[in-house]
Every structure is written in structure tokens, then in C-alpha cells.
Amino acid sequence: MSTTAEKAAPPPEEAAPAVCEEPKSDGPVKEKSVLGGCLSVVVLGASGDLAKKKTFPAIFNLYKQGFLPDELHIFGYARSKLSNEELHEKLRGYLKTDRTDPSKGPEDAIKQFFNKVTYIQGAYDEDEGYVKLNEEVSRHEHERSDDGTPTRRLFYLALPPTVYPVASKRIQKHCMNQRGWTRVIVEKPFGKDLESSDELSSELGALFTEDQLYRIDHYLGKELVQNLLVMRFANRFFVPIWNRDNIASVQIVFKEDFGTEGRGGYFDQYGIIRDIIQNHLVQVLCLVAMEKPVSLDPEHIRDEKVKVLQCIQPIKDEDVVIGQYEGYKDDPTVPKDSFTPTFASVVLRINNERWDGVPFIMKAGKALDSRKAEIRVQFKDAPGDIFKCKKQGRNEFVMRLQPKEAMYMKLTVKEPGLDMKTTQSELDMSYHQRYQDIVIPEAYERLLLDTIRGDQQHFVRRDELRVAWEIFTPLLHRIDAGKLKVMSYKEGSRGPDEADDLNARVGYQRTAGYIWKPPTLQAGTRA
């Protein structure tokens, strides 16, 4: 028997709404906007490279796309004596206008943005500047939100980690929000070893709660890294094969085709393991290796990442190759007796049921033969090789994080022709081809937006940071003491030959001569 509601329902053709064109709007798209009223973003270190190259461009892109509210104001704070106009000129060349509303000129978007940027000069270790900063922020909040509604304050510390404690103490003393939330973003590196990291965490933890602190690692904002959980847990064909029974090895690789380029003195304080492997690549490893979380709640995801780190065994010297490119010590700011590696290949072993026996090879280096970052999952040989095709190489699933984001499967296929010959090819999803009309956001844009929304899924938790340092600190101390031999390698090479030997020893099989070529767009091929 039909219900009254069912009888009253109009037929489908009557119920369907008319399709009409969406009206154009001159302003930001309000449906996208972060709701909640007045938002003040304070960038400490506003005159530095990080702020002008990453932080301000990310805020600009979010604003011009309509993700930030009209009640936004940005305050730049630094020691440099600058006027508002001088700061604007320093930033202008880094604000890209290729994604602005086509109905407006690019200069209109920049001018509108600069109307929301105010510069305040002050020292990081003196109260006076922070008192003035708080007065300016409070004045803006009163003008834009004088009805008593909650306000929001976000502090971005684009500063050296050594300055975090002194700046944070004065933020906590003078600039905390009395009408809403206060959140603080701190940049890597989070210390140099376990001891210094613990000290920094304790100092910040005494000033801010964990839900107020956002430890940013921009790798977690990359599109392909964010796709890892979806790829792993939303595709049925990956679920049964993502384990030690099918996977021979996992490589997570970061390569740069340039050296330190005038930053040798700064780089030498940290080295490639601290700079890249201990934070960026280990974060990626956690997402590759973690178990399925209970939900997408940020804490559930971060719980599973910590479990992976807790299962990693101590690193043995025979599982490490470190190197310096020829000419590194020619930089006058680099000590002539430096042991700091510009290249490292480290094998990590995860002692749990899923990954026991599978080597995770973490490789990073400067002045190498190419620039790329990728995850390479190599599968074991297919049993019963009736096609005699082992020489073609193993199946691999590759996620190219940068440049030219892509996911592709290396697999063996029949070579076209009359003979039964095999060759290696790909099933390829290259983002620039598949998503031609979609602009992939920069990592900093995504992470800034997550911070404003209060989503800590893609930020490093304090216990996670600590366990990661526990893994690497003993190795780093041995390297700093000169107990590991530093191999020399030529600029533009693959790195030390010993690294390839290490890969082969732990079971990775390289396909000699194979080069992935991103697909090209050809006229007339689209249906």
C-alpha cells in the first residue's frame, strides 16, 4: 500500500528543477569561505625568504579563490625597518595571478590583497613590539567584529627554531585571543636530535596546548601524499596485496639536481637526514605502512602513524650509505672536516605482521641526476615464469609526488607483433593530463586552510615527533662523530655506487634502461 507522501509526490519530470546558469559574482565564493567571522593571520618573520616565497603566496591564493572571509587581515611582523608599501613590493613578485578571477585584472587582485596586509616592526625578544602587535590586531577585531562575536588569531612562525621559545613566550604573554581561538604554526626543523626536540617541545608545550600547536610539514600537504589514504583504503584491488606476501620492497625517494647553492653553512648544521628523511620521508612512510584507521578523525589517523614508528627497528650501520658531492666543501661556509651528508640511503625495517621482512629504503640527496620525489612499491616476481620475462623487471606501483604528479603501474605486456615477446609498459594516470581543468593547490595553501578549520590530520603530533627522533638520533650521533664513512659522488650522478649495492643487497631489483615518460596531450585524441 502506498503512503500519503508517495501519492502526493510529483512525477520525476515535474520534480526536476530547471537547469539555470550560476550567476557570476565579483567577490569571493562564500560557500567556500571559512566561516566564523573575523580572522587575523600574523606572520612572524615577514621579511624572510620563507614568508615571501611560501606563506604570503599561500594566503593570497586562498583569499583570491574565496576560501578566506572578508573579515581577514594579515599582519607581518619582523625586525626589518619597512613601511607597508616596502613590504608589499618585496612580496609582489611572488604573488602569482594566473588563477585570479578572469573578470578582474591581476593587479586588482593584488591590490585588494595588499589592502589587507599591514607591517609592524619589532624585535622577537622584546615585549614592546608584541604589545603594539596586539593593539593593532585588537583594533582590527573591534572594527570588523564589534558585536562581541568570536574572533580568530593564527600566528605563523616563519622563524628559525631557535627563536620559537622567545617569540612564543611573548605571544602567550601579550597576544592571546580573549574572544576566540589562538593557533600557532611552527615550521621544521623541530630540533636536531631527540634531546633538542624534547626541549623545544617542552618549552612550547608549557605555553600552548596541543590543540593550539600545528607543526607543519609541507610534504603532508602535497596532493599525492594526501591521496595515499584514499588510494590504499578505497580500492579493493590494493587491500589484499598491500603486505609482505606480495611486496618485495618500498622506496621513498627525494632527489634534487642542484647543490646547496650558497646555503652550505646553514645546510651543514642539519644535513640531508635531518632536513629530508627524518621528517618528510618518514611522514610518507607512515601513510604507506599504517593500518586502516577507525575513522578519518585526525587523532585516529595520527594514532596509526605512531604505531608504525613504534615498530621500526634500530638502524644498523650496514643499512646506511651516506655521501657528499664533490665540491660541497669548496663552499667557504662549510667546515673542511665536515661529516654532514648531502646524500643518504637508509633502510628501515618495520617489525609487525604486515611488513616483517620488507625493506623500506629511504633515499635523499642533493646534486643528483634529476629532480623528483616518489614512492616506489616493488612487488615480488610472479610465480611460474612461463613467459621467461623476469629480465623485463618486476611490477611496480609508483606515486610521483613531484614534479608532474602521477600514479602509474609498471607491468609486463605482450609486445605488439607476430612474435610472443614481452615488454614493460605502464598503466598511467598523470595529473596534468587527467585533470587539465583543475588547479592543484600548493601544499602550504592546504595546510593553512586546515589550520584555520582546526583539522590536525596533516600535522605532526608531539608523540609522533618524539618517536621519529628516537629512531634517527643514535644514527645521527654516530655520523656527527665521524663513525660512518662518507662516500664521495660526482654532481649529476645517481649518488654513491654503494647506495645501489645496498638496494640490491636488501632485495630491490632495478630495471636497467627503463625510463618513465609522462604521456603527452595530442591534438585530435579527445573524444
Side-chain angles (χ1 to χ4, degrees), residues 183 214 296-298 447 449-459:
R183 293 173 185 154
Y214 287 71
L296 291 179
D297 181 279
L447 296 177
L449 192 58
D450 282 349
T451 305
I452 297 166
R453 289 171 168 167
D455 184 350
Q456 290 197 324
Q457 174 182 332
H458 304 115
F459 293 84

Side-chain angles (χ1 to χ4, degrees), residues 48-282:
D49 276 359
L50 175 63
K52 68 184 181 184
K53 292 179 180 177
K54 297 294 184 182
T55 313
F56 279 105
I59 301 170
F60 173 64
N61 288 336
L62 288 173
Y63 177 71
K64 74 184 182 185
Q65 293 175 83
F67 283 103
L68 300 181
D70 285 338
E71 299 87 354
L72 166 74
H73 202 84
I74 305 109
F75 299 87
Y77 184 93
R79 295 173 300 187
S80 304
K81 293 183 178 180
L82 299 172
S83 65
N84 285 346
E85 292 72 23
E86 286 171 331
L87 176 64
H88 297 171
E89 284 306 308
K90 286 173 72 75
L91 300 177
R92 185 179 297 275
Y94 297 95
L95 303 184
K96 298 179 181 178
T97 56
D98 55 340
R99 292 187 288 182
T100 54
D101 185 338
S103 66
K104 299 178 182 179
E107 281 303 312
D108 291 338
I110 294 177
K111 183 178 179 181
Q112 187 182 38
F113 179 70
F114 282 157
N115 287 337
K116 294 183 173 292
V117 179
T118 299
Y119 181 73
I120 298 168
Q121 189 268 331
Y124 298 123
D125 57 352
E126 296 177 5
D127 291 356
E128 182 181 356
Y130 295 88
V131 171
K132 181 180 178 182
L133 172 63
N134 185 63
E135 289 173 352
E136 290 292 322
V137 175
S138 298
R139 184 176 61 81
H140 162 68
E141 291 173 341
H142 180 72
E143 290 175 354
R144 304 307 298 267
S145 181
D146 60 357
D147 58 356
T149 55
T151 59
R152 300 169 290 175
R153 296 186 182 186
L154 171 60
F155 292 85
Y156 194 114
L157 273 57
L159 301 167
T162 53
V163 186
Y164 291 168
V166 294
S168 296
K169 286 176 184 175
R170 284 157 182 83
I171 291 172
Q172 202 278 335
K173 181 178 179 181
H174 299 291
C175 302
M176 298 297 284
N177 193 355
Q178 304 303 315
R179 292 173 47 191
W181 57 250
T182 302
R183 293 173 185 154
V184 179
I185 295 178
V186 293
E187 271 276 357
K188 75 170 189 73
F190 313 115
K192 293 185 66 175
D193 55 16
L194 179 59
E195 182 180 358
S196 59
S197 176
D198 275 352
E199 182 179 352
L200 182 59
S201 292
S202 295
E203 289 180 303
L204 295 179
L207 300 169
F208 308 112
T209 60
E210 188 64 22
D211 63 344
Q212 291 176 319
L213 271 175
Y214 287 71
R215 301 173 188 85
I216 194 170
D217 182 340
H218 75 272
Y219 252 59
L220 291 179
K222 288 185 176 293
E223 183 66 33
L224 267 293
V225 174
Q226 298 229 328
N227 200 9
L228 265 168
L229 294 189
V230 178
M231 184 276 301
R232 281 196 56 197
F233 300 122
N235 294 290
R236 183 66 181 88
F237 54 83
F238 276 124
V239 173
I241 65 172
W242 206 260
N243 53 49
R244 63 189 299 271
D245 296 329
N246 301 284
I247 292 175
S249 66
V250 177
Q251 271 200 85
I252 304 174
V253 176
F254 174 93
K255 300 172 76 172
E256 289 181 334
D257 56 1
F258 54 87
T260 53
E261 296 189 335
R263 297 178 68 247
Y266 173 81
F267 177 84
D268 200 74
Q269 299 175 50
Y270 296 96
I272 201 71
I273 296 177
R274 290 183 176 93
D275 192 38
I276 301 297
I277 294 179
Q278 186 273 338
N279 46 72
H280 296 332
L281 301 195
V282 165

Side-chain angles (χ1 to χ4, degrees), residues 294-329:
V294 174
S295 73
L296 291 179
D297 181 279
E299 295 311 310
H300 290 158
I301 292 172
R302 299 202 291 183
D303 286 345
E304 295 302 331
K305 290 167 65 181
V306 171
K307 290 177 185 177
V308 172
L309 294 173
Q310 289 171 333
C311 291
I312 294 178
Q313 297 177 314
I315 302 170
K316 299 178 181 178
D317 289 354
E318 57 263 32
D319 284 339
V320 179
V321 172
I322 58 173
Q324 284 182 352
Y325 64 85
E326 295 176 4
Y328 171 67
K329 294 180 185 176

